[in-house]
Amino acid sequence: MATPARHAHPFLPISRADMKARGWEQCDIIIVTGDAYVDHPAFGPVLIARFLEGRGFKVGLIPQPDWHSAEPFRALGPPRLFFGVAAGNLDSMLNRLTAQKKNRSEDQYSPGGRTSCRPDRATIVYAQRCREAYPDVPIVLGGIEASLRRIAHYDYWSDKVRRSILFDAKADLLVFGMGERPIWEIADRLRNGERVEDLRDIRGTAYLINDEAMRALEADPARRAADDKVVVLPSYEEVTQDARAFAVMSRDFQMETNPGNARPLAQRHGNRAIYINRPARPLEDGTGLRPGEPSTVAMDELYDLAFNRVPHPMYSERIPAYETVKHSVVLMRGCFGGCTFCSITEHEGRVIQSRSAESVLREVRALRRMGDFRGTITDLGGPTANMYKLKCKSEDIERRCRKLSCVHPGVCENLQTDHGPLIDVMKQVRAEAGVKHVFIASGVRYDLAERSPEYVKELAAHHVGGQLSVAPEHVSPRVLEKMKKPGIESFERFQHMFACASEDAGKEQYDIPYFISGHPGSTLEDMVELALWLKEKGKRPRQVQDFIPTPMAVATAMYHTGLDPLKMEPVYTAKGLREKRLQKALLLYWNPEHWPLAREALRQARREDLIGRGPHALVPPESPAEAARRQRTEAAEARDAGEDLPRAAYPRPVQPRPSAGRPARPGPRSR
């Protein structure tokens, strides 16, 4: 009989038996999550649970409960303080459906990759079941799904504007952003006897107000003029009916995201409204929960918490997301890039919060003690690979700044871009006993990297396993401006630096660029330009990201309204699934499977000159085999429609001729 694995720390209770083993009669807080229970800091709900445990609270966990009844939500009994509800590390709709609105084949955060372990709109469903199980227990929403759906938002999968998630979930509070400070204050004040309906001044939280309170805010003519006034967003009813009102809402929301100068927000929904407090301060802000109180929490503490860094022993199947992160190390959180298609900034914030080198090395030593560690750290990074300890040169300027990006249209003169601290950490981790390889799998921000030749040399010489992921996303200046990404010239300079550094290190290495198709602003003509650039550079991207409008992103507002909310000017958007497939086919022009769609796209773009067999062509003319397949498909569609076709419509199969030419290099892994 196999000896059960021993773990350094007790797992959080998931059953009454676990509570009894700890001598507990009742949990203070119960966290409900849509992810499997992996006791690792990369899993957000578990990080929050361990953080609260470290603050002296009795915390239980209900991972992936069966939502068809309230009974699984009674597994630990009623919590003394509140239920914390999160969909998991991803929005539940994004987790299930692709850009083409097809079911994904795998759920990365579930045992065995099974796709039936959580409901759609999991935050709403879980909260309703918690309320059904124990009607009098407060419910606090958190996680990225709640965070990015806190105001009226466009939902791509239902193709409509939905109201704030707080209304549908019928919860008491919503925590947005990285929630350590707000959730600790909520727990602390409830423990001290305050009622949940009295918790109205906690930064990083939102709650519902009645019609009378909203009327008072709407009646204030100076609400947009003073720093201490509330910004009233266009109402849910307005943004549902009027695209311009939706764009105004998106712009006003984006302008109030800096914790140093953001004002509260309010948005009417019928005869009620949602009130959103200022964003929570970063962990390294230095201030405590109450005025004059010093902070006692920092990034280092989070990663020193009692994690076992493995899935709960109840699982016998692999959990794909865990396999990706189990031997990786996070250096920082946040991103000041401001890319319009990305929601990292809206959730993690623009202020970079970094760990100390000592904290990173402690985690590396913990990795070395894991039984399956063989000396390879798979990633040393974060949302981006090279923003570690980068910050504004002045805290006062940072507090007052309302720019949405520190690097667009160019790198801000107030941004300190010294990569020295990052290089030092890379060297120290590499020098640790038992560490053989330290790879950088996070995306490199090349417009910052090109300012540090030493970093590029260090990267190429020691931290790339043959292929380096970078994300130029497009080549068209017009599209890149809508993305808030640097010009392709910056990427090409970095390419040259990386190639030279790799050659100096005696290594054959390649940059693997990622691109987005179907982004607002991108036309078929722009995608043709990108395909020609790829052909000229000899690039054959295997993985192409089809743009997905995620809640609250600026690009999502462009997609839904046809307006750039930051400039209030029209922007073209490919909205039909067919055109999205055509744009993607142009990026994959070299793949025979995509030739029919690529030819259709070229004809629509009036670039038939690129269909042929010459050196300048993108795709060849239709082959006999393709013609046969097309005719069979058309015939099948006609039969399904009940049409009678002559016998000639069902051609005999034609054997394709073998293709000539050099095979392409292996492509990058899925992003």
Side-chain angles (χ1 to χ4, degrees), residues 234-494:
S235 71
Y236 168 69
E237 290 73 22
E238 288 179 286
V239 301
T240 303
Q241 301 292 328
D242 183 5
R244 188 172 184 84
F246 189 101
V248 169
M249 174 193 71
S250 178
R251 180 197 63 197
D252 289 355
F253 167 82
Q254 293 290 334
M255 297 304 295
E256 307 299 333
T257 53
N258 181 348
N261 58 37
R263 295 168 291 184
L265 304 172
Q267 184 179 46
R268 175 177 286 282
H269 289 60
N271 61 357
R272 302 187 72 190
I274 183 167
Y275 187 95
I276 304 172
N277 283 308
R278 294 176 173 86
R281 295 186 179 92
L283 293 179
E284 298 174 345
D285 183 80
T287 56
L289 299 182
R290 299 168 187 82
E293 179 185 70
S295 175
T296 59
V297 60
M299 281 285 288
D300 286 4
E301 182 188 349
L302 298 182
Y303 293 87
D304 286 337
L305 292 170
F307 295 104
N308 289 300
R309 302 186 67 90
V310 295
H312 191 279
M314 66 179 169
Y315 301 115
S316 59
E317 300 171 285
R318 64 186 287 273
I319 298 169
Y322 168 68
E323 299 298 324
T324 302
V325 302
K326 65 178 179 179
H327 294 152
S328 64
V329 178
V330 171
L331 298 179
M332 40 71 68
R333 66 167 54 159
C335 180
F336 49 67
C339 300
T340 61
F341 52 83
C342 181
S343 298
I344 290 176
T345 300
E346 279 81 358
H347 185 63
E348 295 194 14
R350 290 181 172 81
V351 178
I352 302 301
Q353 301 175 65
S354 303
R355 300 169 63 185
S356 68
E358 293 76 14
S359 171
V360 172
L361 294 176
R362 283 196 297 272
E363 185 173 1
V364 171
R365 291 160 193 156
L367 279 178
R368 285 167 37 201
R369 294 191 289 271
M370 294 180 66
D372 60 350
F373 183 69
R374 298 293 181 266
T376 298
I377 294 175
T378 55
D379 187 27
L380 189 68
T384 53
N386 57 321
M387 286 188 184
Y388 179 72
K389 292 200 172 180
L390 302 190
K391 59 182 182 180
C392 187
K393 69 180 183 182
S394 165
E395 291 184 2
D396 181 60
I397 292 174
E398 184 177 72
R399 279 194 300 270
R400 291 187 286 109
C401 182
R402 286 187 174 270
K403 289 182 64 177
L404 301 185
S405 172
C406 298
V407 290
H408 190 272
V411 177
C412 178
E413 61 183 8
N414 295 315
L415 180 66
Q416 295 177 339
T417 60
D418 179 19
H419 284 53
L422 175 56
I423 295 170
D424 290 342
V425 168
M426 292 160 66
K427 289 179 177 178
Q428 290 180 63
V429 172
R430 204 167 66 241
E432 276 292 304
V435 174
K436 300 175 183 177
H437 306 287
V438 182
F439 294 124
I440 304 296
S442 302
V444 173
R445 186 80 195 196
Y446 49 87
D447 50 347
L448 295 173
E450 68 170 317
R451 291 173 163 241
S452 178
E454 184 183 355
Y455 169 73
V456 178
K457 290 179 181 178
E458 186 77 12
L459 183 71
H462 303 289
H463 298 279
V464 177
Q467 296 180 343
L468 177 69
S469 299
V470 282
E473 310 296 10
H474 216 287
V475 299
S476 166
R478 183 158 43 90
V479 180
L480 290 170
E481 194 279 327
K482 295 304 177 189
M483 293 178 167
K484 297 294 180 277
K485 291 284 289 186
I488 196 63
E489 301 82 8
S490 176
F491 171 68
E492 290 174 337
R493 289 193 297 269
F494 172 78

Side-chain angles (χ1 to χ4, degrees), residues 146-166:
S147 184
L148 298 184
R149 295 176 181 266
R150 61 188 182 265
I151 61 174
H153 56 279
Y154 173 72
D155 182 78
Y156 173 65
W157 295 275
S158 60
D159 192 25
K160 68 178 184 179
V161 177
R162 293 180 63 94
R163 60 184 183 171
S164 165
I165 196 172
L166 201 50

Side-chain angles (χ1 to χ4, degrees), residues 130-197:
C130 288
R131 185 68 76 201
E132 183 180 344
Y134 299 108
D136 298 328
V137 174
I139 297 173
V140 180
L141 307 183
I144 196 164
E145 181 169 274
S147 184
L148 298 184
R149 295 176 181 266
R150 61 188 182 265
I151 61 174
H153 56 279
Y154 173 72
D155 182 78
Y156 173 65
W157 295 275
S158 60
D159 192 25
K160 68 178 184 179
V161 177
R162 293 180 63 94
R163 60 184 183 171
S164 165
I165 196 172
L166 201 50
F167 286 93
D168 294 324
K170 298 177 173 58
D172 297 280
L173 285 172
L174 182 152
V175 171
F176 61 88
M178 305 304 279
E180 292 89 4
R181 278 179 177 267
I183 204 70
W184 178 25
E185 185 169 356
I186 291 168
D188 185 56
R189 290 171 63 171
L190 289 176
R191 179 170 58 181
N192 290 335
E194 293 189 55
R195 301 180 306 163
V196 69
E197 53 266 29

